[in-house]
Amino acid sequence: MTDGQLTGRVALVTGAARPRGIGRATALALARAGADVACLDIARPYESAPDHGVATSDELDQVVDEITALGRRAVAVRADIAIGDEVDAAVQLATETLGIITVVANVAGGSGPGFGMGPLIALPEAEFRHVLDVNVVGTWLVSRACASRMVAAGEGGRICNVSSQAGKRAFAMIGAYCAAKAAVILLTQTMALELGPSGISVNAVCPGTVDTDLINPNGLFEQLVGGAAGLKAFIAREIPLGRLQSAEEIAATIAWLLSPDAAAITGEAINVSAGQTMV
Ligand code: NAD
């Protein structure tokens, strides 16, 4: 995507704050393309899963500073996307500050230790529900809040959800996450059907294995697959292009789907997995 393609647009990116995350990379990519950006993040520990890593409030402010330094307008909005009232207040604040949002990247989500990870027959009910709440309900709540305003404004718009390769095929130990990310794909397709007549496209990106702090905090992923040698073997066995993906590579595809270059695409779920998943 070329610089300036989103000049004059207002974008909202969820999960925008974690320093090595896909959301931060997306917020910066959209700003470089010319958009003003509302950066939404929970920016506080989960009450129900305090050990699951999320961004801090300072990290959210830092992204806003970086976007401002690029010459774009930006605002930090704090909300748990799983809580409707918080989402509505955040989208309202972003709209009042920057103007009508016509570009949305639903990046916030995840799973991990204490947050839906483990064999399905042993998973606590609250954890399973929490993973669905954040990944599915949260994506829908943000889309609903933004798309209802886009429809009223009558100028069309673009939404890109972040699903996962785990929404297309099963991975043991992350069953709640697989179910949630599969739901995100059908949510994407249904919203694309419903919003197409209003000139709003809705697509999803399905990342593969991305080197962010979600899966690889302090080298956790490397430990899980058996250290440096295990990681090398995993990559050689599982990923045709022979490497993990970067947050910036996922962000580039999200930004492209949100750009005029992708105007004819809607209802798709595009893999960015270096070949790890091809379905
Ligand atoms: P990350 O943990 O680095 O970033 C996630 C961001 O979302 C953080 O800033 C966090 O504070 C925020 N967040 C989490 N829960 C939130 C909530 N309830 N409300 C608001 N903000 C919240 O993760 P990442 O690796 O950048 O992942 C981003 C997205 O990509 C997620 O949806 C994840 O499921 C998906 N994904 C990641 C990978 C991977 O390998 N990293 C693979 C496939 C899909």
Side-chain angles (χ1 to χ4, degrees):
M1 192 174 64
T2 50
D3 287 359
Q5 275 199 310
L6 294 177
T7 299
R9 295 278 192 175
V10 176
L12 179 133
V13 180
T14 72
R18 218 167 177 194
R20 296 197 319 123
I22 295 167
R24 174 180 170 275
T26 300
L28 289 168
L30 295 177
R32 279 192 290 271
D36 297 324
V37 187
C39 300
L40 186 153
D41 207 284
I42 188 169
R44 64 175 192 259
Y46 285 117
E47 283 167 27
S48 56
D51 295 335
H52 182 70
V54 289
T56 65
S57 197
D58 285 350
E59 286 167 345
L60 180 56
D61 290 336
Q62 280 161 25
V63 182
V64 167
D65 289 346
E66 286 178 74
I67 293 170
T68 308
L70 291 172
R72 306 264 63 86
R73 296 183 302 147
V75 62
V77 282
R78 291 164 175 79
D80 181 344
I81 57 164
I83 300 175
D85 289 347
E86 291 193 20
V87 169
D88 289 339
V91 171
Q92 183 61 27
L93 174 63
T95 305
E96 284 167 5
T97 311
L98 298 179
I100 182 84
I101 296 160
T102 56
V103 172
V104 177
N106 277 308
V107 185
S111 175
F115 182 34
M117 204 165 176
L120 281 168
I121 59 168
L123 206 59
E125 179 181 338
E127 279 191 38
F128 191 99
R129 288 186 187 280
H130 192 194
V131 172
L132 291 184
D133 268 352
V134 173
N135 289 281
V136 187
V137 181
T139 298
W140 167 68
L141 284 170
V142 173
S143 298
R144 183 181 69 165
C146 294
S148 57
R149 288 169 170 82
M150 286 182 213
V151 170
E155 292 172 14
R158 290 173 206 284
I159 298 173
C160 181
N161 300 324
V162 176
S163 174
S164 171
Q165 63 178 353
K168 292 190 168 182
R169 61 192 181 96
F171 290 82
M173 306 296 282
I174 52 169
Y177 184 71
C178 290
K181 290 303 195 185
V184 168
I185 294 174
L186 263 289
L187 183 74
T188 300
Q189 292 176 0
T190 310
M191 285 199 117
L193 271 182
E194 293 182 359
L195 294 172
S198 299
I200 300 167
S201 69
V202 189
N203 290 290
V205 166
C206 298
T209 308
V210 191
D211 187 10
T212 71
D213 289 328
L214 177 69
I215 67 158
N216 203 18
N218 303 316
L220 174 71
F221 185 73
E222 187 171 313
Q223 287 167 35
L224 285 174
V225 294
L231 181 62
K232 205 171 159 192
F234 167 85
I235 289 172
R237 189 177 66 241
E238 300 287 341
I239 308 179
L241 285 179
R243 59 185 179 77
L244 304 184
Q245 298 88 69
S246 71
E248 287 70 24
E249 288 174 312
I250 311 303
T253 301
I254 296 170
W256 171 71
L257 281 169
L258 293 170
S259 79
D261 284 345
I265 300 174
T266 198
E268 297 290 346
I270 295 177
N271 300 326
V272 186
S273 71
Q276 190 178 357
T277 291
M278 298 188 183
V279 292

